Amino acid sequence: MTVDELGAYGLEQLTDDEIDAFLANQRMGVLGLPTGNGPYLLPLSFGFDGESRLYFTYVVGGQSRKVDLSERAERASFLVYSAESPYNWESVSLTGRIEEVPETEWDDIDDLLADAWRPGLIEEAAAGADVAVYRFPIEERSGVKHTGLPPGFD
């Protein structure tokens, strides 16, 4: 079924302002990088500049598949979602490029990444490892939400 057909069941498209607000209030999503065998999916925390770019911090070691795939990718996808219940959820799907941010620009975006949620394990690893920052300029975006009531609560 299409999004339009699902509208009869309460599914709504998000406006650009709703997408911006959703991204500003979320901190986790799933990055999809292309490979020869389908996408490489990676849960990541992110910062949003409020306009058109996401930022990610990668903890990297000697070899990093995500760095290698990010550098080779012409396009990538990012999915952000929140599911409060089966009747109250929303998601935003983004497509764009992914590019490394030069270390000389990190101070300019430090505030964007300060609130990004990271598991304790990642925080500890980042303290003793190399990190890289990547930017995701958003080229295409769409979002949907369902805020209906459960059956019987009409």
Side-chain angles (χ1 to χ4, degrees), residues 53-70:
R53 289 177 295 276
L54 301 180
Y55 292 88
F56 312 117
T57 301
Y58 288 6
V59 177
V60 297
Q63 290 184 342
S64 173
R65 185 171 186 201
K66 66 182 168 249
V67 168
D68 181 50
L69 292 173
S70 294

Side-chain angles (χ1 to χ4, degrees), residues 67-120:
V67 168
D68 181 50
L69 292 173
S70 294
E71 290 176 357
R72 291 188 301 160
E74 291 182 25
R75 293 178 56 85
S77 298
F78 196 71
L79 175 69
V80 183
Y81 65 93
S82 175
E84 302 296 322
S85 77
Y87 306 100
N88 186 355
W89 56 267
E90 57 191 305
S91 67
V92 168
S93 178
L94 308 167
T95 305
R97 300 178 325 276
I98 190 157
E99 55 198 30
E100 188 170 4
V101 176
E103 200 168 337
T104 56
E105 296 178 27
W106 289 8
D107 287 342
D108 298 337
I109 58 171
D110 193 43
D111 289 345
L112 296 175
L113 290 168
D115 291 334
W117 180 85
R118 292 182 190 92

Side-chain angles (χ1 to χ4, degrees), residues 59 120-131:
V59 177
L121 165 75
I122 300 300
E123 285 290 331
E124 290 177 36
D130 290 331
V131 297

Side-chain angles (χ1 to χ4, degrees), residues 115-148:
D115 291 334
W117 180 85
R118 292 182 190 92
L121 165 75
I122 300 300
E123 285 290 331
E124 290 177 36
D130 290 331
V131 297
V133 177
Y134 282 79
R135 172 176 33 236
F136 184 92
I138 299 166
E139 296 171 358
E140 297 174 22
R141 57 200 230 156
S142 65
V144 292
K145 68 179 176 181
H146 182 260
T147 55

